[in-house]
Amino acid sequence: MDFGTCFLQPLTEKTALEISQWEYEEPYRVYSFKGHHNGYLFDSKAWGTEQFALCQGEKIIGQVACQFDSGRLWCGWSLAPEYCGKGNGHLFVNQCVQEIRKVKQYRNKIYLRVAVSNKRAVRAYQKAGFVYSETILDEIAYSGHMEDFWIMVKE
């Protein structure tokens, strides 16, 4: 996969519907979109301002969400299931960061939160240049399960 040929585009009903069917294998099933109502994914007011799809031509490679909170840009992304576990998550993250910076005209720090138990994502973020900032207790979406999350930052 050449992530350098990918670009951000605003979510649409079509792309949101496709993403809503993404299902991950264990132990990452908890991050699946399928089977979980996600009102934010279908909030058309956020399409193109907070929510995007990373695409290569017509193919959706990943989903990207970014929001400002207290002057900080917080991002989250999901790589399409068929591209996961192949050792190139950091390339996906770097392309997303590059595209977000371009779309948002933003050059400051980018923040994310990641479950400590999601070792694959933690490694990808570290390889992409994110560094640990602090640990918080938070819920894995839709699970009701609280666990430790790392706040990570990239210059």
Side-chain angles (χ1 to χ4, degrees):
M1 163 66 58
D2 180 8
F3 290 100
T5 63
C6 298
F7 61 94
L8 281 185
Q9 68 177 31
L11 278 188
T12 64
E13 186 172 353
K14 180 183 176 194
T15 55
L17 282 169
E18 183 175 328
I19 292 166
S20 74
Q21 296 305 303
W22 286 357
E23 192 167 14
Y24 298 96
E25 295 180 4
E26 291 296 345
Y28 305 100
R29 190 170 306 280
V30 69
Y31 302 107
S32 295
F33 286 84
K34 188 174 183 175
H36 297 113
H37 174 72
N38 187 325
Y40 181 60
L41 185 65
F42 290 97
D43 180 3
S44 62
K45 292 185 294 289
W47 296 347
T49 57
E50 295 179 0
Q51 295 197 73
F52 302 88
L54 187 73
C55 298
Q56 187 178 57
E58 296 295 314
K59 181 77 176 151
I60 301 170
I61 306 303
Q63 177 267 347
V64 179
C66 53
Q67 298 174 320
F68 283 99
D69 183 26
S70 302
R72 293 179 170 181
L73 182 60
W74 290 84
C75 294
W77 27 69
S78 299
L79 186 57
E82 67 254 37
Y83 301 110
C84 291
K86 298 185 181 353
N88 54 19
H90 68 289
L91 299 172
F92 164 70
V93 170
N94 278 332
Q95 185 65 23
C96 290
V97 167
Q98 182 179 327
E99 289 290 307
I100 288 165
R101 289 191 186 285
K102 191 179 340 174
V103 167
K104 293 288 190 183
Q105 296 294 299
Y106 184 80
R107 298 288 172 246
N108 296 324
K109 294 177 182 177
I110 294 179
Y111 294 80
L112 63 80
R113 70 177 190 87
V114 59
V116 175
S117 63
N118 190 343
K119 303 291 187 209
R120 184 166 71 181
V122 169
R123 277 192 308 273
Y125 296 144
Q126 288 171 327
K127 282 179 78 172
F130 281 85
V131 295
Y132 170 85
S133 174
E134 65 180 290
T135 302
I136 62 169
L137 187 63
D138 205 353
E139 177 187 354
I140 291 183
Y142 318 114
S143 72
H145 176 73
M146 300 294 284
E147 69 175 80
D148 284 342
F149 278 76
W150 278 4
I151 303 297
M152 298 184 80
V153 183
K154 180 174 176 114
E155 293 289 333

